[in-house]
Amino acid sequence: MKIAFLAALLLGIGSAAGAQEAPPAREASAPLTLRKCLEIGLEQNYDVRIVRNEERVSDNNATAGNAGMLPTVDLSAGYTGTLDNDRTVTPRNGDATTETGVYDQTANVGLAVNWTLFDGLRIRTNYKRLKEMQQMGALKTRITIEDFMASLTAEYYNYIQQTLRLENFRYAVSLSRERLRITEARVQVGNFSRLDLLQARVDFNADSSKYMSQHELVTASRIRINELLANENLDERFSIPDSVIRVNATLDWNDLLAKTLSANASLLMAEHNSSLAELDLKTVLARNYPYVNLTTGYGYTYNRYGTGGNLSRGTLGLNAGVKVGFTIFDGNRRREQRNARIGVENAQLTQQRLEQSLRADLSNFWQAYRNNLEVILLEEENLIAAKENYEIAMERYLLGDLPGIEMREAQKTAAKIGRHRCAVCGRTEEDDPNLVFRYCSKCEGDYEYCQDHLYTHKHVTKGGMDPRQANSNQEA
């Protein structure tokens, strides 16, 4: 979540300097701003809707009745009948009396109430546990929403970035087409050779291929946005009015650190896990205390006899009782108490580890943020210089003073402005548009790394080796 949020913040640093007006999508609907995307997504996204339903389940479970604090009331009714043959012998004279087909009947109806008055505070602990889980359900919803907003924001700006690149590739194709036209004209008058024409055509086809590949990336980003918005038509076209990725340059470290430690959802979730571990310990300790159960009932019983002096009998009355008990030994109590105390300690250690991890991540993000603010200024200067260099090269090329190969190099230089390249693996955004690049503050010089080598490369110092060689030595 944190990585996705930072990616959304820094995604367009490389292309912000050279941002141009993005072309509107064909058959596009109304402009779709980031705020509008978030509003639609929070209503329609499936993950958000599912986690909200799960939160409702947690709210429904946090009741006194579910914790066992309320009594149970049962209403019951029944009927039984017996058909017997009786043989009775008197003790004095030994006379025997035999009766066959004796049918006795019993019918009853009653109301019974069972209530646990005390069980070592276990019921109260269960109620607190349910309340904690209710709050954790709200935090899970918040985490899911934050993850969704970070993912959608990152993809929104990725779409802007890919659209800007598409426009740059379209511009590169137009330059190559113009160069091809000039070369064809020069070949006809005999100023250029056929080799120059073939090279110009190869370059034009290469730029056209890159443009087509970039169009696929734009389409994939659009489909991803529609998926996050839970649109039925995943290929639905839309227009985004934003054409420049603006970075907030006024962030304050102390403010970010304070908000992270006080409001980070994952850290708050760890605090609730520590509370649950303590409640588990209290639940185990509750077995050291006695329990008190109250039972009471009110009912009517009717008996009808098939023989004897009484034909029937009916009783109506109230009954009540109290049961007090104590579990002296169960063989597992001490073990469970020791494990519960270990669980409390582990929950606290997990919370401390998470806090340290958040501090480390925020420090890395802050350093990358500060470095990339300076990178923006450098790339703005490079953009101006590259454009001027290309204009001069084009003038010389038109005059015939510049070979086609050097002209192509000037064109490549202009096209590469705003792109990043890892100092270890050499990958750029062309290799993977999802790569995130950062400058290393511990390396002496302007060394930039992708996320795969940012923390694994060997730092470059004065007289040190090249990052590529250092990485090769580490792999060996």
Side-chain angles (χ1 to χ4, degrees), residues 213-239:
S213 299
Q214 182 63 29
H215 194 275
E216 293 181 6
L217 295 178
V218 173
T219 302
S221 180
R222 183 178 69 248
I223 292 175
R224 176 57 179 164
I225 292 178
N226 284 321
E227 180 185 7
L228 290 172
L229 297 180
N231 290 333
E232 294 184 1
N233 182 13
L234 293 178
D235 199 32
E236 179 181 349
R237 295 179 178 270
F238 49 80
S239 63

Side-chain angles (χ1 to χ4, degrees), residues 112-241:
V113 179
N114 297 296
W115 196 359
T116 301
L117 299 179
F118 181 78
D119 66 345
L121 301 178
R122 184 183 305 176
I123 294 179
R124 191 173 298 275
T125 302
N126 288 340
Y127 183 70
K128 292 181 180 179
R129 168 187 287 275
L130 293 174
K131 286 296 184 181
E132 287 288 338
M133 295 181 67
Q134 181 184 19
Q135 297 179 18
M136 292 178 69
L139 280 177
K140 289 180 181 179
T141 302
R142 174 183 164 186
I143 291 175
T144 302
I145 291 177
E146 289 178 353
D147 288 344
F148 163 74
M149 295 180 67
S151 299
L152 181 57
T153 302
E155 194 60 45
Y156 180 88
Y157 285 117
N158 178 59
Y159 181 80
I160 295 177
Q161 187 180 40
Q162 299 304 332
T163 303
L164 292 174
R165 288 179 180 171
L166 182 65
E167 180 65 18
N168 291 336
F169 279 120
R170 182 184 292 114
Y171 181 64
V173 170
S174 66
L175 295 179
S176 297
R177 182 184 294 108
E178 178 64 16
R179 177 190 165 199
L180 178 61
R181 185 191 65 79
I182 296 174
T183 304
E184 290 176 344
R186 291 293 181 90
V187 169
Q188 292 178 359
V189 299
N191 290 342
F192 283 176
S193 65
R194 182 170 177 78
L195 179 63
D196 294 328
L197 176 61
L198 293 177
Q199 183 62 47
R201 189 175 299 279
V202 168
D203 294 339
F204 172 74
N205 292 337
D207 290 339
S208 300
S209 176
K210 291 181 181 179
Y211 172 77
M212 296 171 64
S213 299
Q214 182 63 29
H215 194 275
E216 293 181 6
L217 295 178
V218 173
T219 302
S221 180
R222 183 178 69 248
I223 292 175
R224 176 57 179 164
I225 292 178
N226 284 321
E227 180 185 7
L228 290 172
L229 297 180
N231 290 333
E232 294 184 1
N233 182 13
L234 293 178
D235 199 32
E236 179 181 349
R237 295 179 178 270
F238 49 80
S239 63
I240 291 183

Side-chain angles (χ1 to χ4, degrees), residues 159-448:
Y159 181 80
I160 295 177
Q161 187 180 40
Q162 299 304 332
T163 303
L164 292 174
R165 288 179 180 171
L166 182 65
E167 180 65 18
N168 291 336
F169 279 120
R170 182 184 292 114
Y171 181 64
V173 170
S174 66
L175 295 179
S176 297
R177 182 184 294 108
E178 178 64 16
R179 177 190 165 199
L180 178 61
R181 185 191 65 79
I182 296 174
T183 304
E184 290 176 344
R186 291 293 181 90
V187 169
Q188 292 178 359
V189 299
N191 290 342
F192 283 176
S193 65
R194 182 170 177 78
L195 179 63
D196 294 328
L197 176 61
L198 293 177
Q199 183 62 47
R201 189 175 299 279
V202 168
D203 294 339
F204 172 74
N205 292 337
D207 290 339
S208 300
S209 176
K210 291 181 181 179
Y211 172 77
M212 296 171 64
S213 299
Q214 182 63 29
H215 194 275
E216 293 181 6
L217 295 178
V218 173
T219 302
S221 180
R222 183 178 69 248
I223 292 175
R224 176 57 179 164
I225 292 178
N226 284 321
E227 180 185 7
L228 290 172
L229 297 180
N231 290 333
E232 294 184 1
N233 182 13
L234 293 178
D235 199 32
E236 179 181 349
R237 295 179 178 270
F238 49 80
S239 63
I240 291 183
D242 299 321
S243 60
V244 177
I245 303 175
R246 296 179 176 84
V247 180
N248 185 2
T250 61
L251 298 179
D252 179 71
W253 162 257
N254 294 325
D255 183 55
L256 290 176
L257 179 61
K259 290 182 178 179
T260 299
L261 297 180
S262 62
N264 182 269
S266 298
L267 190 58
L268 294 176
M269 184 70 73
E271 293 179 1
H272 285 290
N273 286 330
S274 298
S275 300
L276 285 180
E278 295 175 356
L279 293 175
D280 289 339
L281 176 59
K282 291 182 179 180
T283 300
V284 176
L285 294 177
R287 296 160 63 180
N288 297 331
Y289 298 92
Y291 58 87
V292 180
N293 296 332
L294 172 66
T295 60
T296 183
Y298 186 83
Y300 174 76
T301 302
Y302 175 78
N303 298 306
R304 184 176 181 84
Y305 307 108
T307 184
N310 298 325
L311 179 61
S312 63
R313 179 186 178 187
T315 59
L316 177 66
L318 176 69
N319 62 82
V322 177
K323 180 181 178 180
V324 179
F326 182 78
T327 303
I328 298 176
F329 179 77
D330 59 7
N332 293 319
R333 190 179 308 176
R334 291 186 177 180
R335 176 185 61 82
E336 293 178 357
Q337 290 178 2
R338 289 194 297 267
N339 291 342
R341 289 190 174 91
I342 294 175
V344 172
E345 182 180 358
N346 282 342
Q348 294 174 351
L349 292 175
T350 301
Q351 180 179 349
Q352 295 173 5
R353 181 185 63 182
L354 178 59
E355 180 177 343
Q356 184 184 52
S357 176
L358 289 175
R359 289 177 179 269
D361 290 341
L362 185 61
S363 297
N364 291 328
F365 293 158
W366 176 258
Q367 187 61 50
Y369 166 74
R370 299 301 304 174
N371 288 345
N372 281 282
L373 289 179
E374 299 178 3
V375 171
I376 291 179
L377 301 178
L378 294 176
E379 292 189 350
E380 287 177 346
E381 297 177 0
N382 290 341
L383 177 63
I384 296 174
K387 287 184 176 179
E388 183 177 355
N389 178 62
Y390 177 78
E391 292 175 356
I392 296 175
M394 177 58 76
E395 292 179 0
R396 293 182 57 191
Y397 183 73
L398 294 175
L399 295 175
D401 295 337
L402 189 68
I405 295 178
E406 295 184 14
M407 178 62 194
R408 179 62 176 176
E409 289 300 321
Q411 183 180 351
K412 288 183 178 180
T413 301
K416 288 182 179 179
I417 293 300
R419 299 182 189 174
H420 302 276
R421 180 180 296 274
C422 178
V424 174
C425 63
R427 288 186 298 175
T428 65
E429 298 96 325
E430 291 185 359
D431 301 313
D432 186 354
N434 296 320
L435 287 176
V436 177
F437 296 88
R438 300 176 191 164
Y439 283 89
C440 179
S441 60
K442 297 182 180 179
C443 291
E444 296 185 5
D446 295 333
Y447 290 99
E448 190 177 21

